[in-house]
Amino acid sequence: MNFLPIGPAFTDLVGQTLTLAEFYRALGIAPPLAPGEEITWVGLDARTETGINALLACYDPAVEGESFDVTLAVYETVQQCDPAGHDRGMARQRRAVLELVREAGSPDRLRVTAAAVPESDQERPLVEVLRELRAVLEAWPGERSNRLASAPSEPEP
């Protein structure tokens, strides 16, 4: 599920590394996600006409076949109005999408392999971008789950 365009526009964060502890601390996630776990943030505030659609997922590449270990995707939803003020519906705006892998020689370190962020974030240290995303995510309730947890077995007929 590698859905990011990787090209010249997204190279500044690519290659940056930090430890697993630094990554989760910057996002305010405790305890860290285990392989198969994810946190989702989905919501819409009718008063402010803003919303969130975000996912932080930890993969087990050996089991799930992904080429990365951790992905973070944050999209904000905003009400769109034309110049005359007419409602044109909701629009989803990408705030950040990051894919990270564990370093082969140091499995407690993550390296960014793909990044799609606003131009203003492309030249910032990764930990600063993560702290800013933390502030966005903290405003919304998140739900932690494990997609690899075995479902209860059905009784045999």
Side-chain angles (χ1 to χ4, degrees):
M1 181 174 121
N2 194 351
F3 53 88
L4 291 181
I6 300 174
F10 307 114
T11 58
D12 294 327
L13 287 173
V14 173
Q16 288 192 37
T17 65
L18 72 170
T19 66
L20 285 165
E22 291 169 327
F23 176 80
Y24 286 110
R25 188 171 38 251
L27 286 172
I29 305 297
L33 296 179
E37 285 190 319
E38 63 188 19
I39 301 174
T40 55
W41 295 265
V42 178
L44 182 63
D45 185 336
R47 293 175 293 125
T48 62
E49 297 180 335
T50 60
I52 191 81
N53 184 352
L55 169 73
L56 172 64
C58 181
Y59 295 93
D60 182 347
V63 174
E64 297 179 88
E66 297 295 348
S67 60
F68 45 88
D69 293 289
V70 178
T71 188
L72 174 64
V74 180
Y75 292 87
E76 293 176 303
T77 305
V78 294
Q79 185 73 36
Q80 297 292 304
C81 295
D82 65 17
H86 297 107
D87 181 2
R88 295 296 178 211
M90 302 300 284
R92 189 172 86 159
Q93 299 176 342
R94 180 180 60 221
R95 180 63 189 83
V97 180
L98 301 167
E99 293 178 357
L100 303 99
V101 297
R102 291 179 194 250
E103 292 280 83
S106 181
D108 66 331
R109 290 196 73 76
L110 293 171
R111 179 178 40 85
V112 178
T113 59
V117 296
E119 191 172 328
S120 59
D121 286 342
Q122 291 178 9
E123 296 183 16
R124 296 173 59 203
L126 177 59
V127 72
E128 287 181 17
V129 173
L130 294 173
R131 286 183 189 135
E132 188 173 298
L133 293 172
R134 174 185 184 170
V136 171
L137 296 173
E138 283 181 334
W140 299 93
E143 182 178 323
R144 191 175 190 138
S145 63
N146 188 331
R147 67 190 169 284
L148 296 180
S150 58
S153 58
E154 295 188 20
E156 293 185 27

